[in-house]
Amino acid sequence: MLEVKGLSKYFSSGILRKRYTKAVDDVNFSIKRGETLGLVGESGCGKTTLGRSILRLIEPTAGKVLFDGIDILKLNKKELRTFRPRMQMIFQDPDASLNPRMKIRESIAEPLKLQRVEKCEIEGKVQELIERVGLSPEHANRYPHQLSGGQNQRVVLARVLALNPDFIVADEPTSALDVSVQAQILNLIQDLKRELNLTLLFISHDLEVVRYMSDRIAVMYGGKIVEMGDVEDIFNDAKHPYTKLLVSGKEVV
Amino acid sequence: MNLLKIKALRVYFPTDDGIVKAVDGVDLNIKREEILGLIGETGCGKTVLGMSIMRLIQSTTLTDGEIIYKDRDLLSLSDDEMRKIRGGEIAMVLQNPMTSLNPVIRVGEQIAETIRLHQGLDKKAARKRVIEMLRDVRIPDPEKSVDSYPHQLSGGMQERVMIAMALASDPELIIADEPTKGLDVTVKREIIRLMKEVTAKRSMLFITHDLGAAAEICDNIAVMYAGELLEHASVDSIFSEPLHPYSEGLLNSLPERGLKPIRGISPSLIDTPQGCRFHPRCDYAMEICREKHPEMVKLEDGRAVRCFLYA
Amino acid sequence: MRGALKSGNVFCKNRIGVTGLGILSVFILTAIFAPFLAPYDPCEMFEPMAPPDSQHVLGTNDIGQDIWSELIYASRISLFIAFTTSIIATFIGTLSGLFSGYYERFGFFVMRVVDLFLALPRLPLIIILAVFMPTSIWNLIIIFVLFGWPITTRIIRSEVLTLRTRPYIDSERMMGAGDLYILGRHILPNIFPLVVVQFVMEARHVILAEAGLSFLGLGDPTSKSWGMMLHYAFEYPTIFISEVWKWWMLPPGLCIVVVILALVFVGFALEEILNPRLRREIV
């Protein structure tokens, strides 16, 4: 379903003497329909850049991103706009992912309006989505700052669901949340994924979370994917020294 | 032997929307050489509790109760006396070194400042001492790092600098507020190891929402929820057999324990639920939980829990 | 709406802001209802240089016009120039700021133009331009707008630059929203408070600059502003020897000072409301 080939993103700095940082360096992988690929790595290893490059939120330097056979990087602006709703992203900070000046209802109605859903249907759909992500109707009239981080992340999910996407990049969706809330959100994502047969790229620095969420895991280090495999293989039989380091010292609780 | 005794501490913030009861009747003792973990989720008041020990909260706050450190009530000390204790006998390791360190001053200078303030060393001696301290917190190549600016160091290294700063005055009690927040797994592990080492002969209040980190480093754990303590027990007993439903729920929320969430959300500190503050989210809630506010019950094995199941 | 209500609430609690707004509205109402408030036509001539009495509250000037009526009509001109200029300058500045913040390459060029304008000494240039252009209100406005928009552009742009990187803007893009839609629906409302502050600041600046130019005699002699009144009063040979300055010079001067103060007050209050750090309660 999604195939990433030789994807690279270099950042340049300096005007006269250019220096390049290889944030993502020749990354290859593919994700099957309905699969969750977990992407782990420490901060600064390029995992967020990778996620954003796939969605063209930043323009990659080189490579191919094939989505159902279509190379996303070759689409022009207009084609990209119509194509985009099929791929969605969930960001790390739920409070910043919503327009602070919009009520929850407006925020959720927005993707529907952009999809040219009939006006009379919108209100009903919004209600449906609010319920679907486990919020109650009274939340609709509030503003993001009046809700907790977990509730806002639910709103973000509702917005994403409104678009009926096939593929979602979840970039540390729960790292800003408390443990008890993290569990709620992760379970919700799992449920939705199963129900709607979503394909997921799940980015996190938390190995345990990735283990719970993913079918396969890719370990990223210094801009490259150093190891990729089934969850249990990674945990029981790591090959790369960095993966070993990650897996070995996990705290026993 | 108790080093710090907190008695019936209340810290209220008046705001436009009502009174925020950030700390609402907390009793807590920290023994000499004890590492006490204060566990709780965002907005439960744990940071405010740490800050009020250091008296680092605004003057508009309503504070009541006693914080007795070695027979002296910190809340009734003069500002001058408090300043001597702060950064002297009691030191703090703040969360987020990126914002806690001054970006335009070399790290060596920042540590030296504390030393000069409290130990009266001259510039040269202070520098020597700083290098020693950087070595103590395992910063590689301390002679060089002493002259670097914060942004030239990685997050883990910055955290080490924060720890070195806290240790500069050779404190007896360290208050660490989420020192592992935002660090990568491998770095976090090293920081925890380091903190364990440097607190071998000291006491520490380790404030965190990271249960894994707390399990690694603490002797005892206090669980805080909506401004009050719900459970107080040794690390081993709380992780093997949590008594309070909230403690149990927290542990079960961990991915390695099956990711079973607690339903609902933490209450606002302005408008806490009647009766037991946890009852709206509790699976074991009984009639009495809705009506009466439970007291802390002391159990025979030294544990304490605020729940009618054990009354 | 609640957000707006809350801001309104905070504003009302802010005494400085309310005072400023109060003073300002008195002036604005005066300007609007000048024909009803002024006892005489400002061009009508009476006995020149009459001291204040029951007929003429502030006496008459050298050609016998009633100063009180003149003052009331002058507020029309002064405020009209100030507000028209700020509206146009803020509008241009906001638009160019929005686009130059959102489109990097376009922004690069706009910023070089802005740099050019900001590097030039503003007041001397305005004076030179005013000397060479035929004096009329509209020419004054054009000059002020020319030098007014770059600051707004710069401020708005820097805000847009930070807003643009917010996750919610990215998520809009992911939903297939177009650039204009994002700018209009998501970025503009968030910078709007800043636009209001800029508007107030610009108005303050123009009142002062216009008074300065008119005082130098570069204003429009056919429509007298407060600055023009000062100019004529100052040209009168014995203005400081007799007591005439008290009712001829002082009132327009005071009007300028008070209006600027009122604008400063409103600016203060707005800043406090819009900068959450200044009214931080607790976390």
Side-chain angles (χ1 to χ4, degrees):
Chain A
M1 154 121 177
L2 183 85
E3 211 179 336
V4 174
K5 281 186 189 164
L7 193 71
S8 300
K9 173 69 191 175
Y10 300 163
F11 289 106
S12 61
S13 58
I15 298 174
L16 291 177
R17 221 191 295 153
K18 291 223 178 203
R19 271 176 301 174
Y20 292 97
T21 325
K22 295 178 177 179
V24 176
D25 192 13
D26 190 24
V27 165
N28 297 289
F29 66 86
S30 59
I31 310 178
K32 288 193 280 287
R33 188 174 294 279
E35 185 187 38
T36 302
L37 178 68
L39 186 62
V40 276
E42 59 194 30
S43 47
C45 74
K47 54 189 196 300
T48 296
T49 310
L50 176 59
R52 297 169 71 92
S53 300
I54 293 172
L55 302 177
R56 265 182 85 179
L57 278 172
I58 39 183
E59 294 293 332
T61 315
K64 274 186 185 167
V65 178
L66 299 173
F67 188 90
D68 272 347
I70 305 162
D71 188 350
I72 294 170
L73 305 185
K74 290 228 172 71
L75 296 178
N76 68 26
K77 221 175 165 184
K78 212 175 154 206
E79 291 166 332
L80 185 65
R81 252 183 75 184
T82 46
F83 193 79
R84 262 194 168 144
R86 295 183 58 190
M87 320 176 286
Q88 285 302 308
M89 182 150 185
I90 303 170
F91 298 89
Q92 193 178 104
D93 182 354
D95 303 347
S97 306
L98 298 169
N99 188 338
R101 285 172 192 277
M102 278 178 141
K103 278 183 197 165
I104 301 308
R105 164 180 293 122
E106 299 169 81
S107 268
I108 299 179
E110 229 202 343
L112 297 169
K113 280 185 199 152
L114 286 167
Q115 291 297 296
R116 313 229 182 286
V117 171
E118 293 292 319
K119 253 206 176 109
C120 49
E121 285 176 40
I122 286 181
E123 186 54 37
K125 283 222 162 153
V126 169
Q127 287 305 333
E128 210 175 284
L129 286 164
I130 284 180
E131 249 164 72
R132 185 65 202 84
V133 295
L135 291 168
S136 44
E138 82 241 23
H139 291 127
N141 287 324
R142 305 226 184 125
Y143 286 93
H145 72 263
Q146 295 168 315
L147 299 186
S148 68
Q151 290 171 324
N152 278 336
Q153 200 62 296
R154 287 175 194 271
V155 178
V156 170
L157 279 169
R159 275 160 63 91
V160 164
L161 290 183
L163 296 162
N164 262 324
D166 301 311
F167 173 61
I168 296 177
V169 175
D171 185 6
E172 308 253 15
T174 58
S175 69
L177 305 177
D178 282 317
V179 249
S180 68
V181 182
Q182 161 172 293
Q184 296 173 353
I185 299 296
L186 291 179
N187 282 328
L188 179 60
I189 294 177
Q190 285 288 53
D191 288 350
L192 295 172
K193 190 210 136 179
R194 235 168 273 141
E195 208 171 296
L196 304 167
N197 195 27
L198 296 169
T199 310
L200 221 61
L201 177 64
F202 192 91
I203 304 174
S204 177
H205 68 277
D206 189 329
L207 214 59
E208 285 302 328
V209 169
V210 168
R211 181 185 203 168
Y212 182 85
M213 295 297 288
S214 318
D215 303 311
R216 281 190 305 144
I217 292 183
V219 180
M220 207 168 169
Y221 185 76
K224 286 182 197 278
I225 289 184
V226 293
E227 187 161 2
M228 188 152 47
D230 286 340
V231 173
E232 289 318 310
D233 291 346
I234 294 274
F235 272 86
N236 301 326
D237 184 25
K239 298 279 189 303
H240 193 274
Y242 177 69
T243 318
K244 280 184 187 160
L245 185 68
L246 267 185
V247 176
S248 68
K250 62 186 203 59
E251 297 120 21
V252 189
V253 179
Chain B
M1 168 79 189
N2 285 328
L3 183 66
L4 186 84
K5 267 188 275 184
I6 300 175
K7 280 189 199 161
L9 182 71
R10 278 168 220 280
V11 183
Y12 292 179
F13 299 94
T15 68
D16 288 351
D17 302 322
I19 293 173
V20 175
K21 298 175 183 168
V23 178
D24 199 13
V26 165
D27 295 282
L28 194 62
N29 297 333
I30 302 177
K31 295 196 247 333
R32 273 183 202 279
E33 298 187 16
E34 177 189 4
I35 298 181
L36 176 66
L38 183 62
I39 288 184
E41 298 187 282
T42 313
C44 74
K46 59 186 192 304
T47 296
V48 174
L49 180 58
M51 293 291 235
S52 46
I53 297 174
M54 296 295 268
R55 284 222 340 231
L56 287 172
I57 35 181
Q58 302 141 296
S59 49
T60 52
T61 320
L62 311 169
T63 316
D64 185 47
E66 289 174 8
I67 300 178
I68 296 169
Y69 173 76
K70 288 188 186 168
D71 305 328
R72 288 204 285 176
D73 185 1
L74 296 184
L75 292 178
S76 56
L77 290 184
S78 73
D79 285 349
D80 260 351
E81 289 171 305
M82 193 58 216
R83 211 172 303 136
K84 267 180 213 144
I85 287 187
R86 201 189 290 149
E89 288 177 71
I90 308 181
M92 198 155 190
V93 179
L94 293 166
Q95 55 181 329
N96 206 347
M98 271 301 249
T99 52
S100 306
L101 291 171
N102 187 333
V104 294
I105 301 180
R106 297 175 199 275
V107 292
E109 275 297 302
Q110 300 194 40
I111 306 175
E113 206 177 355
T114 328
I115 299 182
R116 289 216 296 272
L117 229 61
H118 288 277
Q119 296 175 8
L121 291 177
D122 66 44
K123 249 193 156 149
K124 228 173 143 194
R127 187 183 162 88
K128 238 182 106 192
R129 181 86 186 87
V130 170
I131 295 177
E132 267 169 49
M133 288 169 43
L134 290 180
R135 191 169 289 130
D136 287 348
V137 294
R138 305 271 154 64
I139 289 187
D141 206 357
E143 285 85 1
K144 245 182 162 174
S145 313
V146 74
D147 290 322
S148 34
Y149 289 97
H151 71 264
Q152 294 169 318
L153 301 175
S154 68
M157 288 301 142
Q158 288 175 358
E159 195 60 53
R160 281 163 200 266
V161 171
M162 299 285 291
I163 294 171
M165 271 170 90
L167 293 176
S169 57
D170 194 17
E172 284 192 59
L173 174 64
I174 294 176
I175 295 171
D177 190 2
E178 306 259 17
T180 56
K181 197 177 189 177
L183 295 177
D184 286 315
V185 196
T186 47
V187 183
K188 192 163 91 185
R189 232 178 273 147
E190 286 163 30
I191 293 291
I192 287 176
R193 202 176 302 146
L194 176 69
M195 293 201 77
K196 219 169 169 174
E197 240 175 70
V198 299
T199 51
K201 287 265 177 325
R202 305 173 212 270
S203 309
M204 176 159 75
L205 180 64
F206 188 81
I207 302 171
T208 189
H209 71 277
D210 185 337
L211 299 174
E216 288 278 300
I217 195 167
C218 299
D219 303 318
N220 295 307
I221 300 277
V223 180
M224 195 164 177
Y225 183 81
E228 61 182 10
L229 297 183
L230 294 187
E231 184 164 2
H232 189 164
S234 73
V235 152
D236 295 336
S237 48
I238 206 161
F239 279 98
S240 58
E241 191 204 351
L243 293 183
H244 199 283
Y246 176 63
S247 318
E248 188 189 332
L250 264 188
L251 285 170
N252 286 339
S253 312
L254 291 171
E256 48 272 56
R257 294 205 181 189
L259 215 60
K260 287 187 284 293
I262 306 174
R263 65 193 149 88
I265 57 164
S266 304
S268 120
L269 291 172
I270 293 177
D271 186 19
T272 47
Q274 288 278 310
C276 172
R277 293 193 182 155
F278 185 62
H279 88 257
R281 305 175 70 189
C282 182
D283 289 334
Y284 309 100
M286 305 172 284
E287 199 54 48
I288 187 169
C289 303
R290 267 175 279 275
E291 286 152 11
K292 267 180 75 179
H293 183 241
E295 292 300 320
M296 208 69 169
V297 185
K298 282 218 158 62
L299 305 177
E300 63 271 24
D301 53 351
R303 303 178 69 165
V305 58
R306 193 189 290 276
C307 180
F308 287 118
L309 288 175
Y310 305 94
Chain C
M1 268 311 96
R2 232 204 92 175
L5 272 180
K6 199 167 181 194
S7 298
N9 225 349
V10 177
F11 193 93
C12 289
K13 278 191 198 154
N14 189 315
R15 269 195 209 156
I16 289 185
V18 173
T19 314
L21 206 62
I23 298 174
L24 214 54
S25 20
V26 170
F27 275 97
I28 292 171
L29 289 176
T30 310
I32 293 171
F33 296 108
F36 304 100
L37 293 171
Y40 307 100
D41 184 310
C43 297
E44 202 179 338
M45 299 197 200
F46 303 91
E47 184 196 344
M49 298 313 290
D53 56 25
S54 55
Q55 292 283 301
H56 305 287
V57 190
L58 290 175
T60 58
N61 64 12
D62 54 342
I63 51 172
Q65 293 161 335
D66 179 59
I67 294 180
W68 175 239
S69 309
E70 204 182 7
L71 193 69
I72 288 173
Y73 273 91
S75 64
R76 264 191 159 180
I77 308 295
S78 288
L79 293 184
F80 175 75
I81 294 178
F83 287 128
T84 314
T85 307
S86 336
I87 287 171
I88 302 173
T90 320
F91 181 75
I92 297 176
T94 304
L95 273 189
S96 60
L98 272 179
F99 285 104
S100 62
Y102 196 76
Y103 298 105
E104 234 161 288
R105 210 158 292 168
F106 176 73
F108 181 82
F109 290 111
V110 173
M111 276 307 113
R112 298 298 77 80
V113 178
V114 167
D115 286 343
L116 183 75
F117 272 97
L118 292 182
L120 296 170
R122 190 168 168 177
L123 200 61
L125 253 173
I126 289 182
I127 293 174
I128 292 170
L129 276 176
V131 170
F132 285 104
M133 284 167 87
T135 47
S136 84
I137 291 185
W138 287 105
N139 279 343
L140 277 182
I141 289 175
I142 290 172
I143 294 172
F144 290 138
V145 166
L146 200 59
F147 287 89
W149 68 272
I151 297 171
T152 309
T153 305
R154 163 151 283 183
I155 290 171
I156 298 293
R157 174 177 174 263
S158 65
E159 186 69 17
V160 174
L161 280 179
T162 60
L163 280 175
R164 195 184 63 168
T165 58
R166 293 279 160 82
Y168 69 82
I169 299 300
D170 276 337
S171 80
E172 286 306 317
R173 287 168 68 196
M174 289 312 301
M175 284 174 185
D179 292 344
L180 282 180
Y181 179 87
I182 292 176
L183 276 171
R185 186 146 167 81
H186 290 278
I187 294 185
L188 186 61
N190 278 297
I191 57 161
F192 193 71
L194 208 61
V195 174
V196 177
V197 172
Q198 262 324 99
F199 174 81
V200 173
M201 296 304 194
E202 187 59 27
R204 194 188 72 187
H205 192 95
V206 172
I207 293 241
L208 206 57
E210 186 274 333
L213 281 191
S214 301
F215 180 74
L216 294 175
L218 300 170
D220 185 348
T222 56
S223 42
K224 266 193 233 166
S225 65
W226 291 325
M228 262 339 247
M229 286 179 70
L230 282 177
H231 171 70
Y232 286 117
F234 200 74
E235 281 199 328
Y236 189 71
T238 56
I239 180 86
F240 288 119
I241 299 167
S242 59
E243 279 198 311
V244 184
W245 65 272
K246 280 189 190 160
W247 53 83
W248 195 1
M249 247 184 129
L250 206 57
L254 270 180
C255 282
I256 293 170
V257 171
V258 172
V259 165
I260 286 177
L261 264 181
L263 286 167
V264 170
F265 285 169
V266 173
F268 261 172
L270 284 174
E271 203 148 88
E272 196 172 321
I273 293 161
L274 306 172
N275 186 349
R277 234 174 287 167
L278 289 176
R279 62 155 169 162
R280 204 179 179 89
E281 296 130 43
I282 61 131
V283 189

